[in-house]
Amino acid sequence: MDKLIGKHWHHLPADEVLDLLETDRDKGLDLFEIEARRERFGDNAITAKKGKGPLLRFLLQFHQPLIYILLAAAIITALLQEWVDSGVIFGVVLVNALIGFIQEAKAVKAMEALAKTMVTEATVIRAGEKRRISSTEVTVGDIVLLQSGDKVPADMRLISARDLRADESALTGESVPVEKVEETLPHDTVLADRTNMVYGSALITYGQAAGVVVAIGDHTEVGRISQLISATEELQTPLLRKIADFSRVLLYVILGLAAVTFGVGLLRGESAFDMFMAAVALAVGAIPEGLPAAMTITLAIGVARMAKRRAIIRKLPAVETLGSTTVICSDKTGTLTENQMTVQEIMAGGQIFEVSGSGYAPEGAISVKSGQVVDQPGTALIEVLRCGLLCNDNLLVEKEGRLAVQGDPTEGALITSAAKAGLSMQQESSARRRIDTIPFESQHQYMATLHTASDGGPVVAYAKGSVESMLERCAMAQDRDGNPVPLDETVIQAAVESMAARGLRVLALARKEMPSGTARLHHKDIAGGMIFLGLQGMIDPPRAEAIKAVGNCHTAGIHVKMITGDHALTASAVAQQIGLANAKRVITGAELARISDKELIDLVGEVSVYARVAPEQKLRLVEALQERGNVVAMTGDGVNDAPALKRADIGVAMGITGTDVAKEASDMVLTDDNFASIEAAVEEGRGTFDNLTKFIVWTLPTNIGEGLVILAAIFMGVVLPILPVQILWINMTTAVLLGLMLVFEPKEPGIMERPPRDPQEPILTRVLIWRILIVGFLMLVAAFGLFNYELRLAGASDNEARTVAVNVFVMVEVFYLLNCRSLTKSVFEVGFFSNPWVFGGACLMLVLQLLFTYVPAMNTAFGSAPIGIESWARIVVAGSVVMVVVGLEKFVARRRAEKALR
């Protein structure tokens, strides 16, 4: 029995499956056999993977180079008994750790949500009796009965089915319920086309069936996806990778400079204690204490901005990842399309009509294909629409402010197309009361209804179904005025092929007048003698905003790829309408299965449309794109999407139609399931990364300047121009009141017209590194120069001279902050007053500096002293010079870049 686990069952006859599983079609399993199998196979539940405990997950938040530096700074300042500064740094570290821990805890719930999708009840036959049991008790070989509304408890091979349809969209991505049969299928049939199988977590939408359980728990298709999620490596985001690299380099540089400072001082004959204090001052000065907090706050503000644009971020670093996205892999149904079937073309009376509008709202018009709008629909057109309306078991209902179909999307589309010609279900049903129905059956491929007219008119049977099933029942058609004419199958087949070539799903419609007094309808009654009314071609149309968003993505250098479980022809048609590159070339899941990984890596760069794709194939596509160096955003809503969502650099789940599993595996959730919201989020992500880069470019020169001032003092054998506690004052206050104001900087114009950043490119380009070094050197010259000027020429005390040096650093940071509002343009080009937060922060910072300089308590705590107006004048001049120099440097860099593009 164990060797049957994982076996493919769809290619075996039902009786052979029953024999292999040693069960009976009518009686099911015996009670003792059930106990033995439950002991052997266990519960029908997905095993949750044992992950890291809460304590370990919390401690791992501190496992980052930058955090090590901050912890070292906190410990050193505590040893210096600078309790306030030590407490502030410890606080920054703790807040960052808590945020990371909370975000990771949410992600851990993915496996729990997946397990919950399997828990339901099932009707089984055991020992010849029908029983209702928990789905966790179902075991291999159980005979399970299914009917409309049931959730499938496990993977099953159908042994009988009557008009069965199952919604497997969460597993396969198929946009409409799938018809199920018990017939044997070829061995190489792909998962989405295995119509004699139903899978755990699928929903039965119509009909009845019986099936034998062939797999439970971890061995089901959903269980296999669970293992894929567990085995899928979750990649570090580009930002975290770059910050980790940056922090590592910074760690080595700081330790190296501290060692050099200590060694040079000893060689000059200074005391070991003094040199240790100098090394501590240099280390504290070189550490950008505000960077972790700034990164967290910048990303959090990006989260708030994205939420306003209908994108909820679950993991903070995903904000920046969006900004560096190079490829977006999107599902089709509901994301790029409306997820509402819409009739777009009608054939009636030998004419072809176009139908405008999309979705179930009755907004739009019907026009002859030449473009002329039909004000008064002719008899033939009315009859086609009436047939689709009356031969219909569904309703349109309002949900959350929009119309939705209660039942089959195809029938919802027929109701809407009729409404666009002024036909209403209520009026037509009253005038032509239904008295009998032949429900849709897969072997007949049609549905028929019998109607009696309230005005004493003839009894009429209406039918709709596949083109083949309708044509074989018709000998006549109708002309424009509704008069019978001979049926011309050639013309009809040409219209069908034209519609199908554009991905339209085609239904044929027919009618037949029945003898007066007919009260029942049988298959033999409509086996012939029907009048062919016409065709209605429908599709789930692209969202208008998605078409625009795809165009914007292409302008921004982002490639968009469609990965869907739907049919190849439909996928290609939608891809062409939304403007995907090379949309006519479609690779199917069956073709992907035959392609090696190496071939796939070459192929993914050329192909934009993938259809009938299985879960592990979505994962392969994401990995192949990443292998080419892409930053990949992947959208999804089903259980089948979860592994790929987790593996992608940024997983995007659907908020409305998405399963809990998809949401828990994702980094971002769209509240409107709209592709346009992804494009908006990418724009916000680019703006967020820009602002984070601006903060880093602004803060590092201060750390460099402080470190260089300490080094210069040691090499020249003079007293330290700034003390460790003063360095901490500068770093912490300016980071909060000045640097953080950059996170409120509005997005610069043209942000979506530039290509994505190269994923391999460091945060700081050569131009920015050069600018940081220039400003750091200017800070050294200004602070060290004015410190010595105050001591030697102005006759100031050590504390007064240090106060001047501290204020020089702060004033330069204030003026340089204006430069950093744009990395390439002048502050006047971006709008001098476009970010009022900058000026508010600068004013508060200057107030604090006045307190630092003149309040006795601050003088005692920080070793500062009051200074005169002349000193302030020299300080302001130093800041102004830096602003002018950086402005000139940006102007020269911009000119060079423009020349390089010519």
Side-chain angles (χ1 to χ4, degrees):
M1 181 70 68
D2 290 336
K3 67 180 180 292
L4 299 177
I5 298 295
K7 186 178 181 69
H8 291 307
W9 301 93
H10 60 276
H11 69 288
L12 298 176
D15 289 336
E16 186 176 341
V17 173
L18 291 167
D19 289 342
L20 286 168
L21 295 174
E22 300 174 12
T23 189
D24 186 272
R25 177 190 294 264
D26 300 315
K27 295 181 180 178
L29 297 171
D30 290 328
L31 297 180
F32 291 126
E33 181 64 19
I34 292 165
E35 289 182 18
R37 293 196 184 192
R38 288 204 64 199
E39 191 171 331
R40 184 188 308 171
F41 298 117
D43 285 345
N44 178 31
I46 294 171
T47 306
K49 182 185 175 186
K50 188 174 181 180
K52 305 182 187 77
L55 179 60
L56 180 58
R57 288 206 314 271
F58 179 71
L59 292 175
L60 285 173
Q61 305 302 319
F62 299 93
H63 184 51
Q64 302 172 40
L66 198 60
I67 298 300
Y68 293 153
I69 299 173
L70 287 174
L71 286 172
I75 292 167
I76 291 168
T77 50
L79 293 174
L80 294 172
Q81 297 186 354
E82 301 295 342
W83 306 117
V84 174
D85 301 315
S86 180
V88 169
I89 300 172
F90 268 124
V92 168
V93 172
L94 188 61
V95 167
N96 278 281
L98 284 171
I99 290 172
F101 174 75
I102 291 167
Q103 294 294 332
E104 191 172 333
K106 289 179 181 177
V108 169
K109 292 180 182 175
M111 298 306 298
E112 298 169 11
L114 185 56
K116 287 176 186 173
T117 66
M118 293 285 288
V119 179
T120 182
E121 286 193 331
T123 302
V124 298
I125 296 176
R126 288 181 169 179
E129 296 180 2
K130 189 186 295 187
R131 303 184 181 190
R132 190 80 173 159
I133 63 172
S134 167
S135 66
T136 58
E137 298 176 25
V138 170
T139 192
V140 174
D142 260 328
I143 303 298
V144 178
L145 304 180
L146 299 171
Q147 62 182 8
S148 180
D150 284 349
K151 199 172 188 179
V152 180
D155 289 2
M156 297 162 52
R157 168 67 164 89
L158 294 176
I159 56 176
S160 67
R162 180 176 173 82
D163 309 330
L164 191 73
R165 297 183 200 171
D167 179 358
E168 296 179 334
S169 58
L171 185 66
T172 66
E174 178 76 66
S175 57
V176 294
V178 180
E179 293 174 23
K180 296 292 184 177
V181 295
E182 65 264 29
E183 281 81 10
T184 306
L185 299 171
H187 186 277
D188 60 355
T189 306
V190 297
L191 180 74
D193 294 330
R194 292 175 189 171
T195 52
N196 60 7
M197 300 285 296
V198 286
Y199 297 100
S201 82
L203 183 68
I204 303 302
T205 61
Y206 193 84
Q208 297 174 333
V212 57
V213 174
V214 297
I216 63 171
D218 291 338
H219 300 289
T220 62
E221 287 298 323
V222 171
R224 196 165 56 83
I225 291 170
S226 169
Q227 293 165 12
L228 278 175
I229 296 174
S230 300
T232 300
E233 180 186 357
E234 190 167 3
L235 297 183
Q236 243 190 342
T237 68
L239 176 65
L240 293 182
R241 289 198 294 268
K242 290 169 185 175
I243 289 290
D245 293 341
F246 171 72
S247 303
R248 215 169 285 115
V249 172
L250 191 61
L251 177 64
Y252 297 143
V253 170
I254 290 171
L255 293 176
L257 288 176
V260 168
T261 301
F262 187 77
V264 168
L266 289 181
L267 290 175
R268 292 183 60 85
E270 304 287 347
S271 72
F273 178 79
D274 288 343
M275 288 307 95
F276 176 74
M277 293 305 296
V280 166
L282 186 143
V284 170
I287 296 170
E289 291 90 348
L291 183 55
M295 188 171 81
T296 301
I297 293 169
T298 303
L299 296 177
I301 289 172
V303 166
R305 287 177 173 173
M306 288 185 186
K308 292 177 182 177
R309 303 187 73 172
R310 303 181 184 278
I312 305 298
I313 300 296
R314 294 186 62 253
K315 301 172 185 176
L316 279 181
V319 178
E320 180 277 332
T321 311
L322 276 164
S324 55
T325 298
T326 59
V327 175
I328 299 174
C329 295
S330 177
D331 190 18
K332 175 184 69 69
T333 306
T335 309
L336 291 167
T337 65
E338 295 277 3
N339 197 20
Q340 295 190 335
M341 293 295 282
T342 305
V343 173
Q344 291 192 335
E345 197 164 298
I346 299 170
M347 179 188 183
Q351 284 183 295
I352 302 294
F353 299 89
E354 292 179 332
V355 186
S356 63
S358 62
Y360 297 129
E363 298 166 0
I366 300 175
S367 57
V368 182
K369 199 152 191 181
S370 60
Q372 182 182 354
V373 176
V374 177
D375 294 322
Q376 294 293 327
T379 305
L381 178 58
I382 285 291
E383 274 299 292
V384 168
L385 297 171
R386 179 176 288 136
C387 179
L389 184 65
L390 293 176
C391 189
N392 198 311
D393 281 333
N394 289 272
L395 294 171
L396 293 180
V397 294
E398 191 168 322
K399 286 184 181 178
E400 299 177 356
R402 66 186 303 209
L403 287 173
V405 66
Q406 201 169 52
D408 193 319
T410 301
E411 297 203 335
L414 297 175
I415 297 171
T416 302
S417 66
K420 289 175 182 177
L423 301 182
S424 78
M425 177 72 82
Q426 186 176 359
Q427 290 177 353
E428 290 296 323
S429 298
S430 298
R432 295 165 180 80
R433 184 172 58 87
R434 184 192 295 192
I435 54 176
D436 199 14
T437 303
I438 297 177
F440 178 90
E441 294 179 350
S442 54
Q443 65 265 38
H444 296 297
Q445 290 292 308
Y446 69 82
M447 171 187 178
T449 54
L450 186 67
H451 299 263
T452 179
S454 60
D455 59 2
V459 177
V460 176
Y462 287 109
K464 73 173 192 302
S466 68
V467 176
E468 293 77 13
S469 68
M470 289 293 96
L471 286 178
E472 68 185 22
R473 287 166 172 77
C474 298
M476 303 292 286
Q478 63 174 1
D479 63 14
R480 298 183 188 185
D481 300 319
N483 300 313
V485 293
L487 183 73
D488 188 342
E489 285 197 29
T490 307
V491 173
I492 294 168
Q493 290 294 355
V496 170
E497 289 173 13
S498 172
M499 292 183 190
R502 287 178 287 114
L504 298 183
R505 184 179 184 184
V506 185
L507 283 181
L509 303 102
R511 62 167 279 170
K512 180 180 182 180
E513 288 191 12
M514 308 297 291
S516 179
T518 304
R520 302 288 293 171
L521 190 62
H522 304 282
H523 288 292
K524 63 181 181 179
D525 297 330
I526 52 173
M530 299 198 80
I531 295 176
F532 184 83
L533 299 177
L535 307 169
Q536 292 201 50
M538 63 194 71
I539 196 171
D540 180 11
R543 293 175 182 259
E545 58 271 34
I547 296 172
K548 181 181 177 184
V550 167
N552 290 343
C553 285
H554 289 161
T555 302
I558 301 168
H559 300 285
V560 180
K561 298 184 183 295
M562 179 195 293
I563 303 176
T564 179
D566 220 332
H567 294 279
L569 203 59
T570 306
S572 176
V574 172
Q576 290 177 60
Q577 289 180 56
I578 63 175
L580 292 192
N582 199 13
K584 290 185 179 180
R585 185 178 181 189
V586 182
I587 299 293
T588 65
E591 292 173 272
L592 282 175
R594 298 191 293 268
I595 296 172
S596 69
D597 289 344
K598 187 176 183 305
E599 290 172 318
L600 183 59
I601 292 168
D602 295 330
L603 187 73
V604 289
E606 304 168 10
V607 180
S608 297
V609 187
Y610 302 86
R612 309 302 275 172
V613 175
E616 64 272 18
Q617 292 174 330
K618 291 187 178 186
L619 191 58
R620 277 187 75 203
L621 287 168
V622 170
E623 290 172 336
L625 287 164
Q626 289 171 334
E627 192 65 30
R628 291 174 64 91
N630 289 294
V631 175
V632 181
M634 171 78 188
T635 76
D637 55 7
V639 174
N640 61 328
D641 296 319
L645 288 174
K646 186 179 177 187
R647 170 69 193 200
D649 296 280
I650 176 159
V652 184
M654 303 298 111
I656 299 173
T657 59
T659 59
D660 287 343
V661 181
K663 291 174 188 174
E664 291 292 347
S666 68
D667 304 289
M668 182 173 89
V669 179
L670 301 182
T671 60
D672 60 353
D673 290 13
N674 195 335
F675 183 87
S677 297
I678 304 175
E679 184 253 337
V682 168
E683 184 181 353
E684 292 294 344
R686 289 189 174 190
T688 298
F689 185 81
D690 280 359
N691 289 348
L692 188 58
T693 305
K694 291 170 187 176
F695 177 87
I696 294 172
V697 171
W698 171 84
T699 196
L700 287 186
T702 303
N703 302 114
I704 292 172
E706 290 165 345
L708 290 176
V709 164
I710 301 298
L711 275 177
I714 297 302
F715 275 85
M716 296 179 69
V718 299
V719 295
L720 294 181
I722 43 177
L723 300 174
V725 68
Q726 293 171 340
I727 291 173
L728 280 168
W729 166 265
I730 295 169
N731 290 357
M732 298 308 292
T733 56
T734 58
V736 173
L737 294 177
L738 297 181
L740 283 181
M741 300 306 107
L742 289 171
V743 307
F744 300 103
E745 198 65 37
K747 295 184 294 293
E748 294 185 33
I751 198 169
M752 287 297 284
E753 294 173 9
R754 66 193 192 201
R757 289 190 325 277
D758 183 347
Q760 307 305 318
E761 186 179 274
I763 294 176
L764 300 176
T765 61
R766 287 185 181 180
V767 172
L768 296 180
I769 291 171
W770 175 242
R771 186 178 304 162
I772 288 167
L773 293 175
I774 289 173
V775 177
F777 179 74
L778 290 174
M779 283 186 170
L780 162 68
V781 172
F784 197 76
L786 287 180
F787 173 77
N788 281 293
Y789 178 88
E790 294 290 332
L791 278 180
R792 297 178 184 177
L793 299 179
S797 65
D798 286 355
N799 283 357
E800 289 171 336
R802 283 176 177 145
T803 302
V804 169
V806 169
N807 279 303
V808 165
F809 274 104
V810 172
M811 193 61 68
V812 170
E813 286 189 89
V814 169
F815 279 96
Y816 181 49
L817 184 69
L818 299 176
N819 290 116
C820 290
R821 290 186 55 201
S822 173
L823 297 175
T824 56
K825 300 172 184 173
S826 162
V827 66
F828 299 103
E829 289 182 70
V830 296
F832 194 78
F833 295 105
S834 60
N835 183 2
W837 291 91
V838 165
F839 298 98
C843 290
L844 283 174
M845 189 67 237
L846 293 176
V847 169
L848 277 185
Q849 283 310 111
L850 292 174
L851 296 175
F852 173 88
T853 304
Y854 295 109
V855 173
M858 300 287 275
N859 297 155
T860 304
F862 292 100
S864 58
I867 58 176
I869 190 69
E870 297 87 355
S871 298
W872 280 110
R874 288 188 285 271
I875 291 167
V876 171
V877 168
S880 303
V881 168
V882 171
M883 182 179 177
V884 171
V885 170
V886 174
L888 289 172
E889 182 271 333
K890 282 204 287 188
F891 177 77
V892 171
R894 192 161 66 246
R895 282 299 178 88
R896 284 178 180 166
E898 288 171 357
K899 282 184 180 178
L901 292 173
R902 288 173 190 164

